[in-house]
Amino acid sequence: MKFNNIPKNLPSHVAFIMDGNGRWAKKRFLPRKAGHREGVKTMRRIVNECFEIGIPFVSVYAFSTENKNRPQDEVDSLFKLMEEYFTEFLSELLEKNICVRIMGDVSYFPESLRNIIADAIKKSASNSGGTFNIALNYGARDEILRAVNVAVQNGKQLDTAAFSKLLYTADLPDPDLVVRTGGESRLSNFMLYQCAYSELFFTKTLWPDFSQKLLYEILNDYSARERRFGKVKP
Ligand code: FPP
């Protein structure tokens, strides 16, 4: 059953906006952090699945620049989950030859978490079996402004290829497909430059409920889409 129905035309890069953890918990009369905990399990399962079926680049929106304005105990529980995730699953990622990349400014994260993240990046840097790109304290407007300021300082005009190299995603292909769970149909400051021609898929499914079956349905939907990148059909 596992490898049935894998579409031929897979995206090279799929990005997930993992929304709905809080509502998943609320429906079960659980604290929001229980939803995030379940969300991490789902992330691990789905990201592994993507690599296993042959998608080489996977991005996730794990913590936005706006998320730090949530109540401190929720922010702390997310930090704790991140520490646990990297501690428990780094060996799995290394075993699978996955390279970990972070996009965002983690300078304000607790030192212990920053050290764990730096260790994951360092240990996996030369891995070539897939790239797991995690957005942490990330916002696309911040990312673009950061790149513009570097460009201004360098005093040179840039083309799109050179500008792309100043983004956190330097050397990663743009996402072919962005999936957002939780029922909202928006990008919420996620990879705004890189998503210019991405296919978008919105589902009401809450992130912790996201399944392999739904992943395959979305990939099948993607593979049937005609991507023209602004050109006319030949
Ligand atoms: C959105 O749900 C989800 C988040 C703000 C956090 C998502 C993060 C994870 C699943 C994992 C953490 C990352 C790592 C790398 C371990 P929400 O809380 O906004 O849900 P709601 O809209 O139902 O309230």
Side-chain angles (χ1 to χ4, degrees):
M1 177 63 200
K2 191 168 159 62
F3 293 112
N4 276 352
N5 299 324
I6 301 174
K8 288 199 175 61
N9 176 27
L10 284 172
S12 293
H13 186 173
V14 60
F16 294 98
I17 303 177
M18 308 179 289
D19 200 8
N21 294 345
R23 277 164 286 163
W24 183 93
K26 196 173 177 200
K27 268 170 65 180
R28 289 161 179 80
F29 306 100
L30 293 168
R32 292 177 61 81
K33 64 181 175 193
H36 294 315
R37 183 167 287 283
E38 202 60 29
V40 175
K41 285 191 202 160
T42 302
M43 180 181 82
R44 181 178 162 236
R45 197 164 37 77
I46 295 301
V47 170
N48 277 341
E49 183 72 33
C50 288
F51 289 129
E52 274 173 33
I53 62 175
I55 297 173
F57 298 92
V58 182
S59 292
V60 293
Y61 203 4
F63 193 88
S64 73
T65 43
E66 290 69 35
N67 287 156
K68 60 178 175 290
N69 302 321
R70 291 188 175 201
Q72 195 56 44
D73 70 323
E74 182 171 348
V75 172
D76 288 344
S77 73
L78 280 164
F79 288 160
K80 188 164 170 272
L81 277 173
M82 289 174 204
E83 282 210 29
E84 279 176 23
Y85 171 80
F86 286 112
T87 311
E88 282 177 38
F89 301 120
L90 180 60
S91 56
E92 181 180 83
L93 292 167
L94 297 178
E95 218 169 86
K96 291 179 192 248
N97 197 21
I98 303 299
C99 171
V100 177
R101 285 187 52 152
I102 302 295
M103 54 175 190
D105 175 13
V106 295
S107 61
Y108 106 105
F109 279 18
E111 195 185 355
S112 54
L113 178 55
R114 275 188 280 129
N115 290 341
I116 289 172
I117 291 170
D119 189 48
I121 296 171
K122 195 169 152 211
K123 285 193 172 135
S124 70
S126 59
N127 287 356
S128 55
T131 300
F132 184 25
N133 179 43
I134 308 171
L136 292 176
N137 196 24
Y138 171 84
R141 287 183 174 179
D142 271 9
E143 177 187 37
I144 293 167
L145 275 179
R146 192 177 155 266
V148 167
N149 284 328
V150 173
V152 168
Q153 266 171 12
N154 292 344
K156 276 196 247 155
Q157 288 211 345
L158 300 176
D159 59 13
T160 51
F163 187 73
S164 296
K165 289 215 181 291
L166 299 180
L167 299 173
Y168 288 121
T169 46
D171 302 322
L172 297 186
D174 289 340
D176 300 296
L177 172 65
V178 179
V179 177
R180 181 174 185 149
T181 59
E184 315 287 0
S185 306
R186 55 178 173 251
L187 287 173
S188 300
N189 207 13
F190 184 63
M191 296 178 100
L192 298 182
Y193 187 85
Q194 299 89 334
C195 288
Y197 284 100
S198 304
E199 296 296 322
L200 308 179
F201 193 102
F202 300 103
T203 170
K204 286 196 168 65
T205 300
L206 304 175
W207 175 251
D209 292 327
F210 197 90
S211 62
Q212 184 207 51
K213 183 169 173 282
L214 178 55
L215 175 69
Y216 283 20
E217 278 167 21
I218 294 170
L219 294 175
N220 274 298
D221 180 285
Y222 167 84
S223 83
R225 293 189 191 186
E226 183 188 57
R227 302 186 72 196
R228 290 196 299 276
F229 300 94
K231 297 180 191 127
V232 287
K233 205 173 163 182

